[in-house]
Amino acid sequence: MSEFDFDLDHLDFDAAAEKNARQLELADQAAADAAALPDEDDCAGGACKI
């Protein structure tokens, strides 16, 4: 057997795609939540305005 012969029958690509989509949704929601926080110290994205 060559090192490039792979048995892909045991992999669940649909479940992996669903998990990836859920993680992207969670990341998008976390980014939206972070962007919605008030800017209390006049610093935007960690760069303070002088």
mmCIF file of all heavy atoms in Angstrom:
data_model
loop_
_atom_site.group_PDB
_atom_site.id
_atom_site.type_symbol
_atom_site.label_atom_id
_atom_site.label_comp_id
_atom_site.label_asym_id
_atom_site.label_seq_id
_atom_site.Cartn_x
_atom_site.Cartn_y
_atom_site.Cartn_z
ATOM 1 N N MET A 1 0.847 -1.187 0.000
ATOM 2 C CA MET A 1 0.000 0.000 0.000
ATOM 3 C C MET A 1 0.888 1.245 0.000
ATOM 4 O O MET A 1 1.808 1.362 0.784
ATOM 5 C CB MET A 1 -0.914 -0.023 1.226
ATOM 6 C CG MET A 1 -1.778 1.220 1.354
ATOM 7 S SD MET A 1 -2.852 1.155 2.799
ATOM 8 C CE MET A 1 -4.413 1.209 1.996
ATOM 9 N N SER A 2 0.593 2.120 -0.858
ATOM 10 C CA SER A 2 1.332 3.367 -0.976
ATOM 11 C C SER A 2 0.951 4.309 0.158
ATOM 12 O O SER A 2 -0.134 4.215 0.728
ATOM 13 C CB SER A 2 1.005 4.014 -2.322
ATOM 14 O OG SER A 2 1.381 5.369 -2.331
ATOM 15 N N GLU A 3 1.828 5.215 0.480
ATOM 16 C CA GLU A 3 1.519 6.185 1.540
ATOM 17 C C GLU A 3 0.409 7.149 1.111
ATOM 18 O O GLU A 3 -0.153 7.852 1.939
ATOM 19 C CB GLU A 3 2.764 6.961 1.928
ATOM 20 C CG GLU A 3 3.318 7.833 0.807
ATOM 21 C CD GLU A 3 4.578 8.566 1.204
ATOM 22 O OE1 GLU A 3 4.485 9.472 2.034
ATOM 23 O OE2 GLU A 3 5.644 8.200 0.677
ATOM 24 N N PHE A 4 0.072 7.160 -0.167
ATOM 25 C CA PHE A 4 -0.958 8.053 -0.672
ATOM 26 C C PHE A 4 -2.312 7.359 -0.848
ATOM 27 O O PHE A 4 -3.256 7.983 -1.315
ATOM 28 C CB PHE A 4 -0.521 8.677 -1.996
ATOM 29 C CG PHE A 4 0.712 9.517 -1.841
ATOM 30 C CD1 PHE A 4 1.918 9.088 -2.374
ATOM 31 C CD2 PHE A 4 0.675 10.726 -1.162
ATOM 32 C CE1 PHE A 4 3.064 9.847 -2.230
ATOM 33 C CE2 PHE A 4 1.817 11.483 -1.017
ATOM 34 C CZ PHE A 4 3.013 11.053 -1.541
ATOM 35 N N ASP A 5 -2.395 6.088 -0.483
ATOM 36 C CA ASP A 5 -3.668 5.365 -0.540
ATOM 37 C C ASP A 5 -4.409 5.587 0.770
ATOM 38 O O ASP A 5 -3.958 5.149 1.824
ATOM 39 C CB ASP A 5 -3.431 3.871 -0.758
ATOM 40 C CG ASP A 5 -2.889 3.582 -2.138
ATOM 41 O OD1 ASP A 5 -3.128 4.394 -3.047
ATOM 42 O OD2 ASP A 5 -2.217 2.543 -2.295
ATOM 43 N N PHE A 6 -5.540 6.259 0.689
ATOM 44 C CA PHE A 6 -6.309 6.560 1.888
ATOM 45 C C PHE A 6 -7.681 5.907 1.803
ATOM 46 O O PHE A 6 -8.284 5.851 0.732
ATOM 47 C CB PHE A 6 -6.508 8.069 2.054
ATOM 48 C CG PHE A 6 -5.234 8.815 2.273
ATOM 49 C CD1 PHE A 6 -4.707 9.601 1.270
ATOM 50 C CD2 PHE A 6 -4.562 8.748 3.476
ATOM 51 C CE1 PHE A 6 -3.538 10.299 1.458
ATOM 52 C CE2 PHE A 6 -3.385 9.444 3.675
ATOM 53 C CZ PHE A 6 -2.872 10.226 2.671
ATOM 54 N N ASP A 7 -8.180 5.452 2.941
ATOM 55 C CA ASP A 7 -9.526 4.911 3.021
ATOM 56 C C ASP A 7 -10.414 5.996 3.621
ATOM 57 O O ASP A 7 -10.381 6.244 4.823
ATOM 58 C CB ASP A 7 -9.539 3.662 3.899
ATOM 59 C CG ASP A 7 -10.927 3.096 4.044
ATOM 60 O OD1 ASP A 7 -11.807 3.456 3.238
ATOM 61 O OD2 ASP A 7 -11.143 2.290 4.966
ATOM 62 N N LEU A 8 -11.180 6.676 2.785
ATOM 63 C CA LEU A 8 -12.000 7.791 3.236
ATOM 64 C C LEU A 8 -13.414 7.368 3.601
ATOM 65 O O LEU A 8 -14.232 8.208 3.981
ATOM 66 C CB LEU A 8 -12.056 8.872 2.146
ATOM 67 C CG LEU A 8 -10.700 9.439 1.728
ATOM 68 C CD1 LEU A 8 -10.881 10.464 0.623
ATOM 69 C CD2 LEU A 8 -9.967 10.042 2.897
ATOM 70 N N ASP A 9 -13.704 6.079 3.529
ATOM 71 C CA ASP A 9 -15.055 5.600 3.796
ATOM 72 C C ASP A 9 -15.469 5.800 5.251
ATOM 73 O O ASP A 9 -16.651 5.937 5.545
ATOM 74 C CB ASP A 9 -15.197 4.127 3.438
ATOM 75 C CG ASP A 9 -15.064 3.902 1.940
ATOM 76 O OD1 ASP A 9 -15.345 4.848 1.170
ATOM 77 O OD2 ASP A 9 -14.678 2.783 1.555
ATOM 78 N N HIS A 10 -14.525 5.820 6.162
ATOM 79 C CA HIS A 10 -14.865 5.924 7.573
ATOM 80 C C HIS A 10 -15.008 7.377 8.038
ATOM 81 O O HIS A 10 -15.395 7.617 9.172
ATOM 82 C CB HIS A 10 -13.813 5.214 8.426
ATOM 83 C CG HIS A 10 -12.471 5.887 8.391
ATOM 84 N ND1 HIS A 10 -11.622 5.766 7.326
ATOM 85 C CD2 HIS A 10 -11.860 6.694 9.282
ATOM 86 C CE1 HIS A 10 -10.526 6.475 7.571
ATOM 87 N NE2 HIS A 10 -10.643 7.053 8.734
ATOM 88 N N LEU A 11 -14.737 8.345 7.189
ATOM 89 C CA LEU A 11 -14.834 9.748 7.561
ATOM 90 C C LEU A 11 -16.250 10.260 7.311
ATOM 91 O O LEU A 11 -16.886 9.906 6.324
ATOM 92 C CB LEU A 11 -13.826 10.579 6.768
ATOM 93 C CG LEU A 11 -12.365 10.212 6.987
ATOM 94 C CD1 LEU A 11 -11.482 11.057 6.086
ATOM 95 C CD2 LEU A 11 -11.974 10.375 8.432
ATOM 96 N N ASP A 12 -16.726 11.117 8.213
ATOM 97 C CA ASP A 12 -18.081 11.664 8.104
ATOM 98 C C ASP A 12 -17.974 13.139 7.718
ATOM 99 O O ASP A 12 -17.895 14.020 8.580
ATOM 100 C CB ASP A 12 -18.812 11.492 9.439
ATOM 101 C CG ASP A 12 -20.279 11.846 9.344
ATOM 102 O OD1 ASP A 12 -20.709 12.329 8.281
ATOM 103 O OD2 ASP A 12 -21.000 11.650 10.338
ATOM 104 N N PHE A 13 -17.968 13.390 6.416
ATOM 105 C CA PHE A 13 -17.790 14.755 5.927
ATOM 106 C C PHE A 13 -18.995 15.633 6.232
ATOM 107 O O PHE A 13 -18.846 16.827 6.487
ATOM 108 C CB PHE A 13 -17.517 14.740 4.417
ATOM 109 C CG PHE A 13 -16.176 14.153 4.070
ATOM 110 C CD1 PHE A 13 -16.084 12.879 3.549
ATOM 111 C CD2 PHE A 13 -15.013 14.871 4.276
ATOM 112 C CE1 PHE A 13 -14.850 12.326 3.239
ATOM 113 C CE2 PHE A 13 -13.773 14.337 3.954
ATOM 114 C CZ PHE A 13 -13.693 13.060 3.438
ATOM 115 N N ASP A 14 -20.202 15.067 6.212
ATOM 116 C CA ASP A 14 -21.402 15.850 6.502
ATOM 117 C C ASP A 14 -21.395 16.359 7.936
ATOM 118 O O ASP A 14 -21.706 17.521 8.194
ATOM 119 C CB ASP A 14 -22.663 15.030 6.236
ATOM 120 C CG ASP A 14 -22.854 14.717 4.758
ATOM 121 O OD1 ASP A 14 -22.363 15.520 3.924
ATOM 122 O OD2 ASP A 14 -23.470 13.692 4.450
ATOM 123 N N ALA A 15 -21.026 15.506 8.881
ATOM 124 C CA ALA A 15 -20.973 15.919 10.281
ATOM 125 C C ALA A 15 -19.885 16.969 10.483
ATOM 126 O O ALA A 15 -20.075 17.923 11.245
ATOM 127 C CB ALA A 15 -20.726 14.714 11.186
ATOM 128 N N ALA A 16 -18.778 16.811 9.806
ATOM 129 C CA ALA A 16 -17.695 17.788 9.921
ATOM 130 C C ALA A 16 -18.125 19.141 9.364
ATOM 131 O O ALA A 16 -17.823 20.184 9.945
ATOM 132 C CB ALA A 16 -16.449 17.285 9.197
ATOM 133 N N ALA A 17 -18.849 19.133 8.256
ATOM 134 C CA ALA A 17 -19.331 20.383 7.665
ATOM 135 C C ALA A 17 -20.336 21.060 8.585
ATOM 136 O O ALA A 17 -20.307 22.284 8.747
ATOM 137 C CB ALA A 17 -19.952 20.109 6.305
ATOM 138 N N GLU A 18 -21.229 20.271 9.214
ATOM 139 C CA GLU A 18 -22.196 20.840 10.156
ATOM 140 C C GLU A 18 -21.488 21.441 11.371
ATOM 141 O O GLU A 18 -21.836 22.534 11.818
ATOM 142 C CB GLU A 18 -23.180 19.771 10.615
ATOM 143 C CG GLU A 18 -24.220 19.407 9.593
ATOM 144 C CD GLU A 18 -25.184 18.362 10.103
ATOM 145 O OE1 GLU A 18 -25.400 18.302 11.332
ATOM 146 O OE2 GLU A 18 -25.725 17.615 9.279
ATOM 147 N N LYS A 19 -20.506 20.735 11.895
ATOM 148 C CA LYS A 19 -19.762 21.231 13.059
ATOM 149 C C LYS A 19 -19.044 22.531 12.704
ATOM 150 O O LYS A 19 -19.040 23.480 13.493
ATOM 151 C CB LYS A 19 -18.758 20.173 13.523
ATOM 152 C CG LYS A 19 -17.963 20.594 14.729
ATOM 153 C CD LYS A 19 -16.986 19.512 15.163
ATOM 154 C CE LYS A 19 -16.187 19.970 16.356
ATOM 155 N NZ LYS A 19 -15.167 19.017 16.756
ATOM 156 N N ASN A 20 -18.443 22.579 11.522
ATOM 157 C CA ASN A 20 -17.747 23.782 11.080
ATOM 158 C C ASN A 20 -18.722 24.948 10.942
ATOM 159 O O ASN A 20 -18.418 26.073 11.353
ATOM 160 C CB ASN A 20 -17.030 23.524 9.762
ATOM 161 C CG ASN A 20 -16.119 24.649 9.389
ATOM 162 O OD1 ASN A 20 -15.384 25.166 10.220
ATOM 163 N ND2 ASN A 20 -16.167 25.059 8.135
ATOM 164 N N ALA A 21 -19.896 24.696 10.387
ATOM 165 C CA ALA A 21 -20.904 25.746 10.228
ATOM 166 C C ALA A 21 -21.356 26.271 11.590
ATOM 167 O O ALA A 21 -21.502 27.487 11.775
ATOM 168 C CB ALA A 21 -22.093 25.219 9.441
ATOM 169 N N ARG A 22 -21.553 25.379 12.555
ATOM 170 C CA ARG A 22 -21.946 25.806 13.920
ATOM 171 C C ARG A 22 -20.854 26.661 14.548
ATOM 172 O O ARG A 22 -21.133 27.679 15.185
ATOM 173 C CB ARG A 22 -22.229 24.590 14.797
ATOM 174 C CG ARG A 22 -23.605 24.005 14.608
ATOM 175 C CD ARG A 22 -23.969 23.042 15.728
ATOM 176 N NE ARG A 22 -22.964 22.011 15.951
ATOM 177 C CZ ARG A 22 -22.937 20.826 15.354
ATOM 178 N NH1 ARG A 22 -23.868 20.509 14.502
ATOM 179 N NH2 ARG A 22 -21.984 19.968 15.625
ATOM 180 N N GLN A 23 -19.597 26.255 14.382
ATOM 181 C CA GLN A 23 -18.495 27.018 14.955
ATOM 182 C C GLN A 23 -18.392 28.401 14.319
ATOM 183 O O GLN A 23 -18.120 29.383 15.003
ATOM 184 C CB GLN A 23 -17.179 26.263 14.805
ATOM 185 C CG GLN A 23 -17.089 25.053 15.704
ATOM 186 C CD GLN A 23 -15.825 24.258 15.482
ATOM 187 O OE1 GLN A 23 -15.225 24.295 14.417
ATOM 188 N NE2 GLN A 23 -15.430 23.499 16.488
ATOM 189 N N LEU A 24 -18.619 28.484 13.014
ATOM 190 C CA LEU A 24 -18.585 29.784 12.340
ATOM 191 C C LEU A 24 -19.728 30.672 12.823
ATOM 192 O O LEU A 24 -19.541 31.874 13.014
ATOM 193 C CB LEU A 24 -18.650 29.602 10.823
ATOM 194 C CG LEU A 24 -17.395 29.021 10.183
ATOM 195 C CD1 LEU A 24 -17.631 28.746 8.708
ATOM 196 C CD2 LEU A 24 -16.210 29.946 10.379
ATOM 197 N N GLU A 25 -20.912 30.086 13.040
ATOM 198 C CA GLU A 25 -22.044 30.862 13.562
ATOM 199 C C GLU A 25 -21.727 31.387 14.960
ATOM 200 O O GLU A 25 -22.023 32.546 15.271
ATOM 201 C CB GLU A 25 -23.302 30.009 13.595
ATOM 202 C CG GLU A 25 -23.892 29.732 12.236
ATOM 203 C CD GLU A 25 -25.046 28.752 12.282
ATOM 204 O OE1 GLU A 25 -25.533 28.449 13.389
ATOM 205 O OE2 GLU A 25 -25.461 28.297 11.207
ATOM 206 N N LEU A 26 -21.137 30.546 15.802
ATOM 207 C CA LEU A 26 -20.774 30.978 17.151
ATOM 208 C C LEU A 26 -19.723 32.081 17.107
ATOM 209 O O LEU A 26 -19.787 33.040 17.880
ATOM 210 C CB LEU A 26 -20.263 29.790 17.974
ATOM 211 C CG LEU A 26 -21.301 28.752 18.380
ATOM 212 C CD1 LEU A 26 -20.619 27.570 19.044
ATOM 213 C CD2 LEU A 26 -22.354 29.354 19.291
ATOM 214 N N ALA A 27 -18.767 31.967 16.205
ATOM 215 C CA ALA A 27 -17.730 32.991 16.072
ATOM 216 C C ALA A 27 -18.332 34.300 15.582
ATOM 217 O O ALA A 27 -17.969 35.378 16.079
ATOM 218 C CB ALA A 27 -16.642 32.521 15.115
ATOM 219 N N ASP A 28 -19.251 34.220 14.625
ATOM 220 C CA ASP A 28 -19.924 35.427 14.132
ATOM 221 C C ASP A 28 -20.722 36.086 15.240
ATOM 222 O O ASP A 28 -20.723 37.311 15.373
ATOM 223 C CB ASP A 28 -20.838 35.096 12.951
ATOM 224 C CG ASP A 28 -20.067 34.771 11.684
ATOM 225 O OD1 ASP A 28 -18.853 35.087 11.624
ATOM 226 O OD2 ASP A 28 -20.679 34.200 10.758
ATOM 227 N N GLN A 29 -21.421 35.278 16.043
ATOM 228 C CA GLN A 29 -22.217 35.825 17.144
ATOM 229 C C GLN A 29 -21.307 36.467 18.193
ATOM 230 O O GLN A 29 -21.612 37.543 18.702
ATOM 231 C CB GLN A 29 -23.070 34.732 17.784
ATOM 232 C CG GLN A 29 -23.991 35.238 18.863
ATOM 233 C CD GLN A 29 -24.998 36.255 18.343
ATOM 234 O OE1 GLN A 29 -25.577 36.085 17.290
ATOM 235 N NE2 GLN A 29 -25.186 37.318 19.078
ATOM 236 N N ALA A 30 -20.192 35.833 18.503
ATOM 237 C CA ALA A 30 -19.256 36.393 19.479
ATOM 238 C C ALA A 30 -18.678 37.711 18.969
ATOM 239 O O ALA A 30 -18.521 38.666 19.746
ATOM 240 C CB ALA A 30 -18.136 35.395 19.767
ATOM 241 N N ALA A 31 -18.382 37.787 17.681
ATOM 242 C CA ALA A 31 -17.855 39.030 17.106
ATOM 243 C C ALA A 31 -18.914 40.127 17.149
ATOM 244 O O ALA A 31 -18.603 41.283 17.457
ATOM 245 C CB ALA A 31 -17.392 38.790 15.678
ATOM 246 N N ALA A 32 -20.156 39.772 16.858
ATOM 247 C CA ALA A 32 -21.235 40.757 16.907
ATOM 248 C C ALA A 32 -21.464 41.233 18.339
ATOM 249 O O ALA A 32 -21.679 42.434 18.581
ATOM 250 C CB ALA A 32 -22.516 40.160 16.338
ATOM 251 N N ASP A 33 -21.397 40.323 19.304
ATOM 252 C CA ASP A 33 -21.565 40.703 20.711
ATOM 253 C C ASP A 33 -20.442 41.633 21.158
ATOM 254 O O ASP A 33 -20.677 42.600 21.874
ATOM 255 C CB ASP A 33 -21.597 39.460 21.600
ATOM 256 C CG ASP A 33 -22.858 38.635 21.400
ATOM 257 O OD1 ASP A 33 -23.826 39.139 20.780
ATOM 258 O OD2 ASP A 33 -22.881 37.473 21.860
ATOM 259 N N ALA A 34 -19.218 41.334 20.740
ATOM 260 C CA ALA A 34 -18.077 42.167 21.121
ATOM 261 C C ALA A 34 -18.193 43.553 20.482
ATOM 262 O O ALA A 34 -17.851 44.560 21.111
ATOM 263 C CB ALA A 34 -16.773 41.504 20.714
ATOM 264 N N ALA A 35 -18.664 43.619 19.249
ATOM 265 C CA ALA A 35 -18.800 44.900 18.566
ATOM 266 C C ALA A 35 -19.910 45.740 19.176
ATOM 267 O O ALA A 35 -19.876 46.975 19.091
ATOM 268 C CB ALA A 35 -19.065 44.668 17.079
ATOM 269 N N ALA A 36 -20.881 45.086 19.799
ATOM 270 C CA ALA A 36 -22.021 45.801 20.370
ATOM 271 C C ALA A 36 -21.717 46.382 21.752
ATOM 272 O O ALA A 36 -22.497 47.176 22.268
ATOM 273 C CB ALA A 36 -23.227 44.869 20.460
ATOM 274 N N LEU A 37 -20.588 45.985 22.336
ATOM 275 C CA LEU A 37 -20.246 46.503 23.667
ATOM 276 C C LEU A 37 -19.955 47.996 23.594
ATOM 277 O O LEU A 37 -19.390 48.478 22.608
ATOM 278 C CB LEU A 37 -19.016 45.770 24.223
ATOM 279 C CG LEU A 37 -19.221 44.296 24.564
ATOM 280 C CD1 LEU A 37 -17.886 43.689 24.978
ATOM 281 C CD2 LEU A 37 -20.248 44.113 25.657
ATOM 282 N N PRO A 38 -20.335 48.735 24.638
ATOM 283 C CA PRO A 38 -20.057 50.178 24.618
ATOM 284 C C PRO A 38 -18.556 50.462 24.679
ATOM 285 O O PRO A 38 -17.791 49.707 25.265
ATOM 286 C CB PRO A 38 -20.749 50.694 25.875
ATOM 287 C CG PRO A 38 -20.925 49.503 26.746
ATOM 288 C CD PRO A 38 -21.009 48.306 25.845
ATOM 289 N N ASP A 39 -18.165 51.533 24.062
ATOM 290 C CA ASP A 39 -16.758 51.938 24.022
ATOM 291 C C ASP A 39 -16.542 52.939 25.146
ATOM 292 O O ASP A 39 -16.589 54.145 24.941
ATOM 293 C CB ASP A 39 -16.455 52.546 22.649
ATOM 294 C CG ASP A 39 -14.974 52.572 22.350
ATOM 295 O OD1 ASP A 39 -14.212 51.935 23.105
ATOM 296 O OD2 ASP A 39 -14.585 53.223 21.374
ATOM 297 N N GLU A 40 -16.303 52.432 26.356
ATOM 298 C CA GLU A 40 -16.301 53.260 27.558
ATOM 299 C C GLU A 40 -15.084 54.171 27.676
ATOM 300 O O GLU A 40 -15.161 55.232 28.277
ATOM 301 C CB GLU A 40 -16.383 52.354 28.789
ATOM 302 C CG GLU A 40 -17.666 51.540 28.820
ATOM 303 C CD GLU A 40 -17.607 50.442 29.861
ATOM 304 O OE1 GLU A 40 -16.557 50.299 30.519
ATOM 305 O OE2 GLU A 40 -18.606 49.730 30.002
ATOM 306 N N ASP A 41 -13.949 53.762 27.138
ATOM 307 C CA ASP A 41 -12.728 54.534 27.351
ATOM 308 C C ASP A 41 -12.245 55.229 26.081
ATOM 309 O O ASP A 41 -11.068 55.562 25.957
ATOM 310 C CB ASP A 41 -11.633 53.642 27.932
ATOM 311 C CG ASP A 41 -11.322 52.460 27.037
ATOM 312 O OD1 ASP A 41 -12.006 52.297 26.015
ATOM 313 O OD2 ASP A 41 -10.409 51.700 27.379
ATOM 314 N N ASP A 42 -13.133 55.441 25.126
ATOM 315 C CA ASP A 42 -12.800 56.087 23.864
ATOM 316 C C ASP A 42 -11.698 55.351 23.105
ATOM 317 O O ASP A 42 -10.916 55.959 22.383
ATOM 318 C CB ASP A 42 -12.399 57.554 24.063
ATOM 319 C CG ASP A 42 -13.572 58.403 24.508
ATOM 320 O OD1 ASP A 42 -14.725 58.032 24.186
ATOM 321 O OD2 ASP A 42 -13.345 59.420 25.169
ATOM 322 N N CYS A 43 -11.627 54.032 23.294
ATOM 323 C CA CYS A 43 -10.671 53.212 22.557
ATOM 324 C C CYS A 43 -11.461 52.316 21.612
ATOM 325 O O CYS A 43 -12.385 51.656 22.029
ATOM 326 C CB CYS A 43 -9.832 52.361 23.485
ATOM 327 S SG CYS A 43 -8.674 53.303 24.474
ATOM 328 N N ALA A 44 -11.105 52.326 20.366
ATOM 329 C CA ALA A 44 -11.764 51.490 19.369
ATOM 330 C C ALA A 44 -10.840 50.353 18.978
ATOM 331 O O ALA A 44 -9.767 50.594 18.439
ATOM 332 C CB ALA A 44 -12.145 52.322 18.158
ATOM 333 N N GLY A 45 -11.241 49.146 19.249
ATOM 334 C CA GLY A 45 -10.450 47.973 18.865
ATOM 335 C C GLY A 45 -9.097 47.945 19.526
ATOM 336 O O GLY A 45 -8.155 47.403 18.977
ATOM 337 N N GLY A 46 -8.959 48.527 20.688
ATOM 338 C CA GLY A 46 -7.704 48.506 21.420
ATOM 339 C C GLY A 46 -6.771 49.659 21.063
ATOM 340 O O GLY A 46 -5.726 49.820 21.687
ATOM 341 N N ALA A 47 -7.139 50.482 20.103
ATOM 342 C CA ALA A 47 -6.297 51.631 19.740
ATOM 343 C C ALA A 47 -6.935 52.894 20.329
ATOM 344 O O ALA A 47 -7.995 53.305 19.895
ATOM 345 C CB ALA A 47 -6.186 51.744 18.220
ATOM 346 N N CYS A 48 -6.298 53.463 21.322
ATOM 347 C CA CYS A 48 -6.873 54.634 21.999
ATOM 348 C C CYS A 48 -6.669 55.904 21.166
ATOM 349 O O CYS A 48 -5.637 56.088 20.532
ATOM 350 C CB CYS A 48 -6.241 54.818 23.360
ATOM 351 S SG CYS A 48 -6.683 53.499 24.506
ATOM 352 N N LYS A 49 -7.679 56.715 21.193
ATOM 353 C CA LYS A 49 -7.622 57.984 20.473
ATOM 354 C C LYS A 49 -6.951 59.032 21.344
ATOM 355 O O LYS A 49 -7.235 59.156 22.519
ATOM 356 C CB LYS A 49 -9.052 58.443 20.126
ATOM 357 C CG LYS A 49 -9.794 57.442 19.280
ATOM 358 C CD LYS A 49 -11.235 57.826 19.164
ATOM 359 C CE LYS A 49 -12.022 56.719 18.510
ATOM 360 N NZ LYS A 49 -13.452 56.886 18.600
ATOM 361 N N ILE A 50 -6.061 59.758 20.768
ATOM 362 C CA ILE A 50 -5.342 60.787 21.532
ATOM 363 C C ILE A 50 -5.838 62.146 21.093
ATOM 364 O O ILE A 50 -5.996 62.440 19.954
ATOM 365 C CB ILE A 50 -3.816 60.684 21.301
ATOM 366 C CG1 ILE A 50 -3.346 59.321 21.795
ATOM 367 C CG2 ILE A 50 -3.096 61.807 21.993
ATOM 368 C CD1 ILE A 50 -1.880 59.047 21.546
#
